[in-house]
Amino acid sequence: MPLDPAAVVISPYLPGVPALSDRILVANRGKIVEEIKATEAPEQQIMYAAVHEGLA
């Protein structure tokens, strides 16, 4: 089964990330702490996960 193409986007401009993504993985201190569908990703949830170690 062929794999779907993938790209990693790292951006300091948070409002643009959901438009480029299917899903968003939030990392904190080198670990993935949250996975959010881009269509269900308010900026507040992404930022909360980033600074509160994924306790959202």
Side-chain angles (χ1 to χ4, degrees):
M1 181 163 106
L3 298 175
D4 291 332
V8 175
V9 176
I10 300 172
S11 175
Y13 183 67
L14 186 56
V17 173
L20 297 171
S21 309
D22 292 323
R23 63 183 178 147
I24 298 168
L25 301 174
V26 180
N28 185 314
R29 298 181 186 184
K31 294 183 180 180
I32 302 297
V33 296
E34 189 83 31
E35 180 177 346
I36 309 165
K37 289 183 181 180
T39 57
E40 302 169 0
E43 290 179 36
Q44 295 85 357
Q45 182 180 358
I46 298 168
M47 287 304 300
Y48 187 88
V51 298
H52 290 95
E53 300 184 33
L55 300 177

